[in-house]
Amino acid sequence: MLRCRHAKVVSDSSIDVNASTDLPSALTRWFAINKRAMPWRNTRDPYSIWLSEVMLQQTQVATVIAYYERFIKRFPTVHALAAGDLDEVLKLWAGLGYYSRARCLHRGAQVIVTDFGGRMPETLEQIRRIPSIGPYTAGAVLSIAHGKPEALVDGNVARVLSRIKLIGGDWRQSATKAKLWELARALHLEALEKKIDPGDLNQALMELGATVCTPRGPLCGQCPAQKQCGAFREDKQSEFPETTKKTAVTTLRLLSWIVSDSKGRVLLAQRESGGLFGGLWEVPTATRAPGKEKRGTPAGSFRHLLSHRELKIQASAVDKKLWTESIEPEFNCWSGKYVNWRWVLPREAIDGAVALASIQKKILQK
Ligand code: SF4
């Protein structure tokens, strides 16, 4: 049985976890004192909040901060992003992964400019018409930027609420998800009566899940929700939230050709937009057939883990003549297709001349 690390210990002198109070007040008072500094927390600009929320999906705060600052410097407004070139957007996103987020963000900015006069909509119905804005992001933008009492549920919030209210079932499954959304909305109704800022309430729930009510070893002794928490009361922190088995990871074996010319440049191909790594550049890569790599010089093995796929890549170096005469005629991209080709110096490619996924930078560095 996993037990919380500091049960019934008040470790933050600013918060009395045993104080008798309602949940929204306890959470937001705790948040006011304990929130971590983040650049997007200094603003109520809906575009900045939207950008940060999209970047934070699937990515840790510590990684996002530098990307966010670079991005907002280059595209400070929704108008700037809408007018920007997708290639440049992808370059700024390179290394952050899940590139469909960048493409949707770019497309979303264009929709905001063309359909909403450049202003982020302030109603749930309208904001959901923007690409990249699902229920979670809508709740975040509407509550944090516009102060609307809109709920949200992400992994952190699901963990906190399922422990406090002892909600069983995997939160990704629709019945459980519906219960959690209902609970989150009920908290907002309670908060509304007490004039609690909806954005603070949502951020408090997310922050609590990220820093205190963590998946393993929750710090219940520091938790402002300890008094209301069913899991703490019954010592069942490890039983909530319930999880079902993850989808099995499939392995793809690939062969990347590092083709170089007499000027020291390498051949890069751009993937079609949409799909995995859509719009990004890479060294020509095919599904690996036994023995094919022997036509070149071994240039290393690489492994790249995606959410449900593992890429095992063997790299092989060849010169332009061998590539053109023997390999290219029978070459097939490993998934989707390439739409552009160009010769680039490896250093320039790594330094950002083209949008490269992090695995491609590793291959070129080698
Ligand atoms: Fe512990 Fe419950 Fe607080 Fe999570 S919500 S840290 S389980 S007291």
Side-chain angles (χ1 to χ4, degrees):
M1 169 80 64
L2 174 152
R3 295 180 67 93
C4 62
R5 282 180 258 161
H6 304 289
K8 294 201 191 268
V9 174
V10 180
S11 60
D12 184 333
S13 58
S14 316
I15 289 284
D16 177 359
V17 296
N18 291 312
S20 174
T21 186
D22 61 278
L23 190 53
S25 302
L27 288 169
T28 47
R29 276 179 41 221
W30 170 84
F31 179 66
I33 296 163
N34 293 282
K35 64 182 170 192
R36 294 168 293 173
M38 297 174 195
W40 49 88
R41 284 193 170 154
N42 303 326
T43 177
R44 292 242 168 184
D45 170 43
Y47 166 68
S48 306
I49 307 289
W50 175 41
L51 172 64
S52 68
E53 289 299 337
V54 174
M55 284 187 162
L56 286 164
Q57 289 161 19
Q58 322 276 358
T59 314
Q60 300 283 329
V61 170
T63 308
V64 165
I65 289 176
Y67 279 90
Y68 171 86
E69 286 178 333
R70 266 199 306 272
F71 200 98
I72 209 86
K73 195 170 172 197
R74 171 62 190 87
F75 297 117
T77 64
V78 74
H79 286 278
L81 178 57
D85 187 62
L86 178 60
D87 263 358
E88 200 179 353
V89 173
L90 287 170
K91 265 188 232 169
L92 287 168
W93 208 273
L96 206 52
Y98 299 95
Y99 296 93
S100 62
R101 293 182 297 175
R103 292 191 298 271
C104 284
L105 195 73
H106 185 242
R107 178 78 196 110
Q110 291 171 337
V111 170
I112 292 170
V113 168
T114 53
D115 294 3
F116 298 100
R119 279 179 63 83
M120 182 75 84
E122 295 188 25
T123 68
L124 195 56
E125 186 272 325
Q126 286 187 326
I127 205 168
R128 289 295 310 277
R129 283 166 35 200
I130 299 167
S132 92
I133 300 199
Y136 164 80
T137 312
V141 175
L142 291 174
S143 66
I144 300 169
H146 298 304
K148 305 275 181 185
E150 295 292 347
L152 57 78
V153 176
D154 69 348
N156 284 323
V157 177
R159 185 166 55 257
V160 171
L161 292 182
S162 68
R163 282 177 174 163
I164 291 175
K165 301 288 183 187
L166 299 176
I167 305 289
D170 189 323
W171 82 274
R172 288 180 181 81
Q173 287 170 353
S174 52
T176 311
K177 200 184 254 185
K179 273 188 212 160
L180 292 166
W181 273 90
E182 205 179 300
L183 264 175
R185 288 191 193 103
L187 271 187
H188 273 279
L189 287 180
E190 205 180 330
L192 204 57
E193 284 175 14
K194 297 177 192 322
K195 299 194 182 341
I196 289 172
D197 183 278
D200 282 352
L201 177 58
N202 281 336
Q203 291 184 86
L205 281 163
M206 292 191 279
E207 190 82 343
L208 191 73
T211 61
V212 174
C213 192
T214 47
R216 292 177 166 275
L219 301 164
C220 300
Q222 299 176 23
C223 180
Q226 189 192 89
K227 215 171 166 49
Q228 295 94 341
C229 181
F232 176 75
R233 199 167 48 245
E234 297 184 16
D235 201 13
K236 288 184 174 172
Q237 292 92 331
S238 63
E239 293 171 39
F240 296 89
E242 288 176 11
T243 48
T244 46
K245 270 196 169 176
K246 289 193 171 169
T247 317
V249 172
T250 49
T251 299
L252 295 177
R253 291 172 203 285
L254 305 176
L255 176 58
S256 285
W257 294 106
I258 302 176
V259 189
S260 51
D261 70 2
S262 57
K263 294 176 184 161
R265 300 176 304 179
V266 290
L267 182 63
L268 294 181
Q270 186 180 30
R271 301 182 63 78
E272 62 187 333
S273 63
L276 190 60
F277 300 122
L280 269 70
W281 292 80
E282 63 185 34
V283 294
T285 299
T287 303
R288 195 190 323 163
K292 288 266 185 192
E293 72 277 7
K294 289 184 186 147
R295 284 193 281 177
T297 308
S301 303
F302 305 85
R303 180 173 174 265
H304 190 61
L305 212 51
L306 302 165
S307 52
H308 299 116
R309 278 183 273 197
E310 177 195 29
L311 308 183
K312 284 191 170 174
I313 303 170
Q314 182 73 49
S316 194
V318 290
D319 62 22
K320 187 178 174 183
K321 187 167 182 293
L322 183 61
W323 164 259
T324 314
E325 291 175 0
S326 149
I327 302 166
E328 189 183 20
E330 60 190 54
F331 176 83
N332 275 315
C333 174
W334 63 286
S335 81
K337 61 180 178 192
Y338 295 138
V339 289
N340 286 308
W341 296 81
R342 63 187 274 193
W343 292 92
V344 190
L345 287 169
R347 177 43 54 196
E348 286 179 5
I350 291 164
D351 288 346
V354 292
L356 292 175
S358 54
I359 182 64
Q360 293 298 318
K361 284 191 183 172
K362 281 186 202 155
I363 293 173
L364 288 177
Q365 268 156 354
K366 188 116 180 193

